[in-house]
Amino acid sequence: MNEIIQAIKSRPDFWKSIINGHLLSNYNMVTVHRNYFEDLLSGKVPMGEITIETLAKKPIQEIPLREMLSLIKEVYETSRVVDRVEVDRENLILFHNYRNKEVIDKLKTSIVSLLEANGHLYDAKSTANMVVLTHRPDVGIRINEIVSNLKISNSRVDQDLIMFMAFLKGLKNIPDIPVSLTALGRRIGISLMQEYEKENNIKSWEFQNFQKALEIIDSKLHRESEWKPDGKNLLYTIKKCNIVAEGNSVDKYICHTIRETFKGAVNHAFGNRAELDVKKLLSHGDNCCEVLIRVP
């Protein structure tokens, strides 16, 4: 306790206020890292990896899964982001008192993204006061296989995607779009851009070379696309997408994965600098997909 006592003695007014706040609110205060709070204010979904890495004293990718789950339990319970975390082997159950569905969805996405950054794929289901996360190493292995295939056989992108969609759609116990599809899409987008970088010696991404790369990817996916400058921004329109359409309907699972592929590509090229403003979506009944890319 020496370090803790010294910290309290060095800033007694601060710690008295913190302790009183927790006592008066019956421990309903939430204490999070400034970067986590900043992501919340900016509308992003915060992961909280900074706090985890600080405690582990190593990058999040190097933390063993067992240690990672223990750290999540410690951080989420101590910060009061959730009421309680139960670790069941490689699975997690988060107990909370949030009532807003959007808040619960963001909590679910945040923890799934955190575990994905650690190198592990999880499916998540939410109930009234719980988020249940199930480890899916089998799906993670399949994603790795597909990404590896893309690196040696880019011409099979569409076939591999369709085969994998059929595999995932067989998971009957998941009521909404599996988070596995989000992970698959992002990793494919990143992988494609990394391979393009190597083949074309790209050192820095700009709108011009990003557009050229996406035009090549679209041709392999059998999609008809159009690019138009919009001031300092770029408007990207998918006019026809054979890979997501079945007759007159749109497969929402494949459509979701393709969108995540695009997001993964944008994030790899421009990082947090890029903002996406989705204007239209085929899966929402529009006659095309349209997104505005903003990079300051």
Side-chain angles (χ1 to χ4, degrees):
M1 297 291 287
N2 288 341
E3 185 179 359
I4 295 173
I5 291 171
Q6 186 59 41
I8 294 174
K9 284 183 176 180
S10 67
R11 301 183 67 179
D13 291 340
F14 171 82
W15 287 110
K16 183 178 179 180
S17 176
I18 290 291
I19 292 170
N20 283 339
H22 278 287
L23 292 174
L24 291 170
S25 68
N26 192 27
Y27 291 92
N28 280 314
M29 298 272 289
V30 176
T31 307
V32 294
H33 194 282
R34 187 185 298 270
N35 288 16
Y36 188 98
F37 186 62
E38 183 179 11
D39 283 346
L40 279 176
L41 292 181
S42 64
K44 298 178 181 178
V45 178
M47 286 170 40
E49 71 278 15
I50 294 177
T51 305
I52 297 283
E53 290 179 336
T54 301
L55 288 173
K57 298 181 180 178
K58 51 190 165 187
I60 195 167
Q61 299 89 343
E62 298 178 8
I63 303 173
L65 179 58
R66 185 178 297 274
E67 181 183 353
M68 182 69 182
L69 298 180
S70 295
L71 287 169
I72 288 173
K73 176 178 174 63
E74 178 182 349
V75 169
Y76 273 62
E77 288 184 347
T78 305
S79 66
R80 306 299 299 157
V81 170
V82 299
D83 297 327
R84 189 172 86 255
V85 177
E86 286 188 2
V87 180
D88 179 14
R89 297 182 182 179
E90 296 182 346
N91 303 324
L92 285 175
I93 303 176
L94 279 64
F95 295 87
H96 63 83
N97 282 311
Y98 300 120
R99 294 171 294 177
N100 187 296
K101 185 180 183 300
E102 185 177 351
V103 171
I104 297 170
D105 287 342
K106 284 189 176 182
L107 173 65
K108 181 169 63 176
T109 302
S110 174
I111 189 70
V112 167
S113 299
L114 183 62
L115 288 161
E116 184 186 336
N118 183 237
H120 298 278
L121 190 62
Y122 277 74
D123 277 328
K125 295 187 293 183
S126 55
T127 63
N129 66 334
M130 291 189 300
V131 175
V132 180
L133 296 114
T134 306
H135 191 205
R136 295 304 307 267
D138 55 328
V139 180
I141 290 170
R142 184 70 180 110
I143 289 176
N144 289 337
E145 290 174 355
I146 289 177
V147 172
S148 295
N149 287 340
L150 291 177
K151 294 181 178 180
I152 61 175
S153 180
N154 284 351
S155 63
R156 293 187 57 195
V157 174
D158 47 356
Q159 292 92 334
D160 279 339
L161 277 172
I162 292 172
M163 287 172 60
F164 192 58
M165 293 313 107
F167 168 74
L168 285 177
K169 286 162 69 175
L171 302 175
K172 302 298 184 182
N173 61 326
I174 302 173
D176 52 5
I177 291 178
V179 294
S180 316
L181 297 182
T182 300
L184 170 64
R186 281 199 300 263
R187 290 196 57 189
I188 287 178
I190 292 169
S191 178
L192 289 174
M193 300 307 279
Q194 287 174 335
E195 291 304 304
Y196 187 86
E197 281 177 345
K198 294 176 185 176
E199 293 177 4
N200 296 275
N201 196 29
I202 301 293
K203 302 297 182 184
S204 176
W205 285 100
E206 305 293 341
F207 274 157
Q208 186 175 5
N209 53 18
F210 181 78
Q211 176 180 337
K212 186 175 180 180
L214 262 292
E215 286 174 345
I216 293 173
I217 292 173
D218 282 342
S219 68
K220 293 183 181 297
L221 290 174
H222 304 160
R223 295 190 301 194
E224 296 179 11
S225 60
E226 182 180 81
W227 297 80
K228 289 182 180 179
D230 187 345
K232 294 182 179 180
N233 308 317
L234 195 62
L235 187 64
Y236 174 52
T237 304
I238 297 290
K239 293 185 172 181
K240 186 177 181 182
C241 188
N242 292 330
I243 195 170
V244 303
E246 296 179 357
N248 294 322
S249 63
V250 174
D251 189 308
K252 69 173 184 177
Y253 289 89
I254 297 179
C255 189
H256 174 83
T257 307
I258 292 294
R259 292 204 305 273
E260 291 300 324
T261 299
F262 177 72
K263 291 177 184 178
V266 171
N267 187 259
H268 178 77
F270 303 112
N272 292 331
R273 295 183 298 134
E275 293 183 5
L276 301 180
D277 182 8
V278 178
K279 304 288 188 181
K280 298 178 181 179
L281 285 175
L282 282 168
S283 58
H284 288 180
D286 297 318
N287 60 357
C288 66
C289 287
E290 192 173 87
V291 58
L292 187 67
I293 309 172
R294 299 190 181 94
V295 179

